Amino acid sequence: MPHGQDTWLPSLVTATPQAGFELAIKLARMGVKYTQPSDAVRKELRPAYERDAEALIASSHVIAVHFQTVAAANSWWRG
């Protein structure tokens, strides 16, 4: 996916924390997709990390960082 095409992130604003967390997951997944645009390569690599506890923890960390960003953009859900 070339940079600059298809606007998939019009806003970081979400209605709920749950939606914000789902957006954080999307951000993490899109980061991987931009870093490795080949579907075939990502599918080939998946078995190497899907059972690796350290890789899964690292993935959770990336999502948590994105969630912090989304939460801040939402003023912690306008509370």
Side-chain angles (χ1 to χ4, degrees):
M1 173 183 304
H3 300 281
Q5 290 184 343
D6 296 333
T7 301
W8 61 269
L9 183 62
S11 175
L12 292 176
V13 175
T14 63
T16 66
Q18 177 73 35
F21 187 73
E22 291 169 10
L23 177 56
I25 293 169
K26 173 83 171 178
L27 290 168
R29 293 180 70 143
M30 292 302 286
V32 169
K33 195 171 186 178
Y34 271 71
T35 303
Q36 178 45 263
S38 170
D39 287 337
V41 171
R42 288 194 312 274
K43 285 180 184 178
E44 181 181 324
L45 293 173
R46 176 167 265 187
Y49 67 79
E50 69 183 358
R51 296 185 185 276
D52 180 337
E54 289 182 18
L56 295 171
I57 290 167
S59 177
S60 293
H61 181 259
V62 171
I63 292 167
V65 170
H66 286 310
F67 185 63
Q68 288 177 331
T69 301
V70 173
N74 284 279
S75 300
W76 299 93
W77 283 272
R78 300 167 257 325

